Amino acid sequence: MGDQKESLRKITHTLAMKNEEISNFICTLKQSLDNLEANSNRVQEDLESECSSLHAVLDEMKENMLTRIKQERASRTYELQSQLSACSKALESSEELLEMANQTLCSSETDGFTQVTASHAAAVTMAPAFRLSLKAKASDNMSHLMVDFSQEKEMLQGLKFLPVPATPEIQVSECQVCDNTVTVVWSLPEPDSKIDHYIIEHRRTNHEGPPRIREDYPWMVVEGIREMEHTLTGLRFDTRYLTFRVRACNKAVAGEFSEPVTLETHAFTFKLDAASAHQNLKVEDLSVEWDSSGGKIQDIRKDKNRTNSPMHSPARSALMSPKRAPTARPGRDRFTAESYTVLADTMIDAGQQYWEVRFDKESKAFAVGVALRSLGRFDQLGKSSASWCIHLNNWLQQSLTAKHNNKARTLDCPIPNSIGVYINYDEGILSFYNAKTKQLMHTFKTKFQQPVIPAFMVWNGSFSIVTGLQVPSVVQSGQRKNSGTSSSNASLN
């Protein structure tokens, strides 16, 4: 009896789910019908508008061409009428001269004949008829203004609906991810002169492969791209991947999206572990400010994917093998006394990582570096074997030093506004750069026996951290060039 009820309950539940799917599909079909009606009206209105525009263009061209014909006729009419008038007057004058000359010739009077004859001869010689050109100044041929619209007629007869653009294909081998930029390159199956622009969409994700139906991050849209490639700049990679898709658009319609492509955006991302901070340090997200009053209750913002202990690792995020499963760090108190320190919440146990720190140069003291998890609550950065750092001293006299194991080396370089920190855990390299110019300030060469954690110290000042950055290419090339010439821990004095 119980089994039959349970079976009926399951079947009923399945049918209810199916009914809900059908109801949703009915709503979708109704919406599609409404959209079809609206879209049909829209394209019909567009067609009428385009035809009206075409008629307007033809009417305007007709008026312009008629005006040209009228102007040409008026100009030639004036020339020919002027020439006709001049010829008529010359002919009239010539006839008068001829009549007067004939009368003289027929006269029988001899007195003064010679003088009159000479006068008439001079008048005849100067007759306007002798100065006239008997060639028409303007032609009556207007054939140069004839038209032949046969080609245009063929074009008009060839009018058809604008085809939907073909689907682009992203060329993964030509896409590049470096220096916090992503360049996406795509192609079309065949050239299409009707393409007006492209639309590219990208979405952050922590999942490799095709995009999932439900994602934590929305699609971001970039429109109006004229070339078949696009570069996104100024990115901070706080997820493991970026998914891209692109579609082509002509002046009427957009084509289908390309198959999504997921590109890896490896970068080191962490937050500050507020639970480890000295009570005089006010921690908010990735910023720290000196608080002389101290002891205030601070909001410790917990990330749902992290804990308050630095048990996460970039390497483990990529390779969660059973041998490298993370273990919780032993409980510890916050830093105290004169160790004005705060740690990150993510440890480093493999690979190359990079982050930047912007600090107040007026701080009385500031330090940035890495530390072992075993760093004592009273330990100051650089004053034990468990930490390496660059230290700014702004008390009495300003100085910048590299510190480790209570040894210091004064650095002969300008104090930057921000410092880039590069670590190659596997090769035991920790380097500090001017974050703006990428000039190398100092390199520690060691062998990390344990995972390390980004560590920071500030006294009477403030700083902020920029994470999600890839290792700059100039830093990587500089590291290869300077390999074997780095400073060592033993050289600190």
Side-chain angles (χ1 to χ4, degrees), residues 43-338:
V43 295
Q44 183 175 339
E45 292 173 359
D46 288 344
L47 177 61
E48 292 176 353
S49 176
E50 288 294 329
C51 289
S52 298
S53 299
L54 189 58
H55 289 152
V57 171
L58 289 173
D59 289 340
E60 183 179 358
M61 290 180 61
K62 177 183 175 181
E63 289 299 322
N64 291 336
M65 297 175 81
L66 285 175
T67 301
R68 172 74 184 281
I69 292 174
K70 291 176 182 179
Q71 290 174 345
E72 188 80 7
R73 180 177 65 187
S75 174
R76 295 192 181 193
T77 299
Y78 175 80
E79 292 288 342
L80 293 174
Q81 285 181 343
S82 297
Q83 194 173 14
L84 176 62
S85 176
C87 289
S88 297
K89 289 180 180 180
L91 181 61
E92 182 180 352
S93 175
S94 296
E95 289 177 349
E96 291 177 355
L97 289 173
L98 287 173
E99 183 179 356
M100 187 169 53
N102 288 331
Q103 291 177 357
T104 301
L105 290 173
C106 295
S107 175
S108 59
E109 298 180 1
T110 58
D111 295 339
F113 177 80
T114 302
Q115 183 178 356
V116 172
T117 302
S119 175
H120 286 177
V124 172
T125 303
M126 298 300 295
F130 290 118
R131 298 193 298 271
L132 286 177
S133 171
L134 298 182
K135 182 179 180 180
K137 290 184 177 181
S139 171
D140 59 353
N141 188 351
M142 297 287 284
S143 60
H144 66 289
L145 293 179
M146 295 295 290
V147 296
D148 178 13
F149 287 152
S150 58
Q151 185 176 357
E152 285 73 12
K153 288 179 182 178
E154 290 180 4
M155 291 177 61
L156 289 174
Q157 291 170 351
L159 286 178
K160 55 186 178 181
F161 292 108
L162 199 61
V164 176
T167 303
E169 181 180 353
I170 297 179
Q171 304 298 318
V172 180
S173 60
E174 298 184 31
C175 297
Q176 293 184 348
V177 181
C178 64
D179 292 329
N180 302 302
T181 66
V182 179
T183 299
V184 184
V185 181
W186 59 89
S187 62
L188 291 172
E190 57 185 28
D192 186 351
S193 61
K194 301 293 185 181
I195 298 297
D196 181 69
H197 65 278
Y198 298 90
I199 297 175
I200 189 171
E201 293 188 350
H202 58 93
R203 179 166 64 184
R204 295 180 294 160
T205 179
N206 285 308
H207 306 291
E208 188 176 8
R212 303 187 176 190
I213 298 178
R214 294 183 179 179
E215 276 283 359
D216 295 332
Y217 303 99
W219 287 104
M220 307 301 292
V221 182
V222 182
E223 298 182 309
I225 302 172
R226 302 296 178 182
E227 304 295 333
M228 287 195 287
E229 67 175 61
H230 183 70
T231 300
L232 297 175
T233 61
L235 300 175
R236 288 179 58 186
F237 299 129
D238 53 358
T239 57
R240 293 180 60 196
Y241 303 97
L242 275 177
T243 300
F244 293 87
R245 62 184 186 182
V246 63
R247 61 178 173 177
C249 305
N250 54 36
K251 292 184 177 180
V253 66
E256 296 293 330
F257 274 110
S258 65
E259 285 295 323
V261 168
T262 301
L263 302 178
E264 186 175 6
T265 56
H266 174 72
F268 184 38
T269 303
F270 62 87
K271 295 182 178 179
L272 292 172
D273 182 6
S276 71
H278 191 282
Q279 65 178 1
N280 287 115
L281 300 184
K282 183 179 179 181
V283 179
E284 292 188 4
D285 292 332
L286 295 175
S287 299
V288 175
E289 186 175 357
W290 171 262
D291 183 5
S292 58
S293 60
K296 292 183 179 179
I297 299 176
Q298 304 179 33
D299 293 331
I300 302 175
R301 302 182 180 182
K302 298 181 179 180
D303 188 289
K304 64 181 180 180
N305 295 323
R306 301 183 185 271
T307 68
N308 286 336
S309 300
M311 56 183 290
H312 301 276
S313 161
R316 291 185 174 125
S317 298
L319 301 171
M320 290 295 292
S321 65
K323 295 181 179 180
R324 299 182 61 81
T327 56
R329 183 168 62 94
R332 64 185 305 283
D333 296 329
R334 65 171 63 238
F335 289 99
T336 188
E338 295 184 357

Side-chain angles (χ1 to χ4, degrees), residues 20 29 43 62 67 224 328 351 404 417 488:
E20 184 178 359
L29 290 176
V43 295
K62 177 183 175 181
T67 301
H404 171 67
N417 293 320
S488 66

